[in-house]
Amino acid sequence: MFEFKKTSQLLRRRTVIRASVAGLVVILMLGILVSRLWYLQVVRYEGLAARADQNRIAVVPIPPRRGEVVDRNGVVLARNYRDYTLMVTPARVEGGIESMLDELSTLVYISARDRRRFLQSLGKTSRYAQVVLRNNLNEIEASWFAAHSFKFPGVELQARWVREYPQGESAAHVIGYVGRISQADEQQLEEEGRLGNYRGTSIIGKKGIEKTWEEVLHGQTGLEEVEVTASGRPVRVLNRVDPIPGADLQLSIDIGLQKHAESLFEGRRGALVAIEPATGEVLAFVSAPSFDPNLFVDGIDVDNWRKLNESPDHPLINRPLFGTYPIGSTYKPFVALAALEMGKRKAHERIPDPGYFEFGGQRFRNAGGAAYGWTDMHRALVVSSDTYFYSLGPEIGVDALHDFSKQFGFGQITGIDLEGERRGILPSREWKRKAYKNPSQQRWYAGETVSVVVGQGYNSFTLLQLAQATSVLANDGVYMKPHLVQHIVDPATGEKTATVTEPSHVIPLKQENIDVVKRALVDVTRTGTARRAFANAPYQAAGKTGTAQVFSLRGAKYNASTIDERLRDHALFMAYAPADNPKIAVGLIVENAGWGATVAAPVARSVFDYWLIERGNLLQ
């Protein structure tokens, strides 16, 4: 009996101890839970609340409408249209990417190229970033996918702005094109602090005006704060900041003149730039042959890229901006003006022209072996006497000629609103010292100046520089910076802002010296080397023909029929019209076409006829 009672007491004691321990454990756990809740609800409230909002609120960027580009008369050169695109967020795809692609292909056409590019893009981006799968879905495809979209988590149909160039190949080197944003583009945007403004945007300007004026054209990205479910389905829009569309650009180009000038280069290689002297506005900017910028908008395919890139005619090269050439006798008016300004030669002073000039034991001959007898400056320009200008070389000197010519833009960056402009070569003693490493090649020889003054030798200029120099000469030394964008147009108000309004500088020239050169250039088209091209013109033009060697004949006689076509002389011409009130100035080259008088001058005549007569600018 005693043993039973003792055992019962022991059991009760153990039960009490166990209950007490359990109670303490429960109280301790409750205390920990309460303290944790207090920590989360009070101490960490702000941070966790923000994270919770991020989990239920998606910030969706709204890309702005890209600004349009029009010519001086409002003709559209670059515009936007809406289409549909399939975007994929890899992290949300169920069942694997390949499986999704196979199933989706039964509903919407996905080419092998689309699939390949999509899979390549996956390895370059985050699993949570959207990747383009297919562009340019039509209305039927878009509606068909929308009806079955619930089967494809992670795949989204989006409307987007697409760039289009309705003029095709015309003015392609001016307008340029847009393309997909590359990693290099992203890196540059990040370095410039502009990457945030490109969230949701897939394209960026790559060439031409599209690239140079990218910031203005792009606009400001907007955003929507959208409440979403755990699966990512949107519930409602909580907040919206509308995007600001990019500004429109009105170019100085006249697309009618542009197409007319381009037609004159059909089947030929060359370049032409036409400028309005009083304003510096570029009226036409031809690089032949050209290309279709629409090919680049969504990424050019391999076949088209190979055709363009491997063509011996190099259609992708912007010839007026990037190509550099010896400009031959079109340089002579500026050499003549330099001689007058420096007092090295009087206009009426005559020298004998037996058909050659001897210097340093070497004979420098006139083109075609012509001999003009006693020749003054006026006659030398009209008939294009090389001998007369050869004789000016040692008198002027290369450094003095360099310093004079650079004021007109030769060998300089003109500052036109296109990227990729080349400086070319305006030779001087200093230039040669820097250009060659071998000390024996660094010395400048006086005989080299003889070639330079007739636009040959080391001279290498862009056609833009020739056109600009012609424009400045026509404008009596007033240098208006050449530009393609005439106005920036506010898309909301339509307000226009001019880009260039004042001269960059004025070359200090004596008017009587300018008049000497100008009178000679008028007679070039009246009785000189360009007389046939401008016969019966209803206006008076002024100009200078030029023919430039592509390679040295080393004393041999030039015969175009026996020389490879791409080694034949270039045909050049510089001119402005009307002579007494210039409305247009041009510099042009037809590559490997022979004489400037027979090939290049007629091109300028046709351009002048169109602009002054057909467009009615002669009477303005």
Side-chain angles (χ1 to χ4, degrees), residues 569-607:
D569 293 347
H570 295 320
L572 296 108
F573 194 64
M574 57 83 80
Y576 56 88
D580 58 348
N581 183 23
K583 301 290 181 62
I584 182 172
V586 302
L588 71 99
I589 185 170
V590 184
E591 294 180 8
N592 312 118
W595 297 103
T598 56
V599 180
V603 172
R605 165 69 189 273
S606 184
V607 167

Side-chain angles (χ1 to χ4, degrees), residues 173 362 488:
H173 292 90
Q362 183 178 356
I488 300 172

Side-chain angles (χ1 to χ4, degrees), residues 91-341:
R92 292 176 50 203
V93 173
E94 298 177 359
I97 295 293
E98 292 288 352
S99 177
M100 178 273 293
L101 291 174
D102 292 338
E103 187 175 356
L104 184 60
S105 297
T106 62
L107 296 175
V108 177
Y109 174 72
I110 300 175
S111 69
R113 179 169 172 261
D114 290 331
R115 189 166 184 150
R116 182 174 61 254
R117 290 173 60 175
F118 169 71
L119 293 174
Q120 289 174 346
S121 298
L122 288 182
K124 301 177 182 177
T125 58
S126 165
R127 294 184 66 248
Y128 296 92
Q130 288 190 322
V131 181
V132 176
L133 173 57
R134 160 81 195 279
N135 286 320
N136 301 317
L137 276 74
N138 58 39
E139 295 286 345
I140 296 176
E141 290 176 314
S143 59
W144 186 250
F145 173 80
H148 298 83
S149 60
F150 65 93
K151 299 179 182 178
F152 303 96
V155 184
E156 184 180 351
L157 181 68
Q158 293 183 357
R160 64 164 188 156
W161 290 109
V162 179
R163 201 63 160 172
E164 181 184 34
Y165 303 102
Q167 306 302 328
E169 293 188 1
S170 188
H173 292 90
V174 172
I175 305 164
Y177 54 84
V178 298
R180 293 181 179 179
I181 296 177
S182 65
Q183 287 184 328
D185 293 327
E186 288 183 349
Q187 183 177 351
Q188 183 175 353
L189 289 170
E190 188 169 11
E191 291 173 356
E192 296 172 354
R194 297 194 291 136
L195 185 59
N197 193 36
Y198 281 78
R199 301 298 182 192
T201 301
S202 61
I203 57 107
I204 193 171
K206 296 286 188 178
K207 293 290 183 181
I209 290 296
E210 292 279 28
K211 182 176 183 180
T212 310
W213 292 86
E214 170 62 30
E215 271 195 82
V216 174
L217 288 167
H218 178 260
Q220 190 70 34
T221 297
L223 60 88
E224 276 186 343
E225 293 181 353
V226 182
E227 186 175 3
V228 296
T229 64
S231 63
R233 184 175 63 84
V235 177
R236 59 179 174 141
V237 176
L238 301 176
N239 184 40
R240 177 183 172 94
V241 177
D242 290 328
I244 300 174
D248 297 330
L249 298 179
Q250 183 174 37
L251 303 189
S252 57
I253 291 287
D254 182 289
I255 197 62
L257 177 65
Q258 177 76 21
K259 289 184 175 181
H260 177 78
E262 288 171 345
S263 70
L264 302 173
F265 284 84
E266 187 69 35
R268 294 169 166 173
R269 299 178 304 279
L272 178 148
V273 179
I275 300 175
E276 185 177 68
T279 63
E281 294 177 0
V282 177
L283 305 174
F285 191 96
V286 177
S287 181
S290 188
F291 64 94
D292 186 354
N294 291 294
L295 296 171
F296 291 87
V297 174
D298 279 325
I300 190 169
D301 61 85
V302 175
D303 290 338
N304 278 314
W305 171 251
R306 185 178 293 116
K307 288 178 183 177
L308 292 173
N309 194 46
E310 296 179 0
S311 169
D313 293 334
H314 305 294
L316 294 177
I317 290 179
N318 190 328
R319 280 173 160 82
L321 194 73
F322 190 78
T324 57
Y325 308 85
I327 61 170
S329 294
T330 59
Y331 194 39
K332 289 176 181 176
F334 305 97
V335 176
L337 189 54
L340 292 172
E341 287 290 318

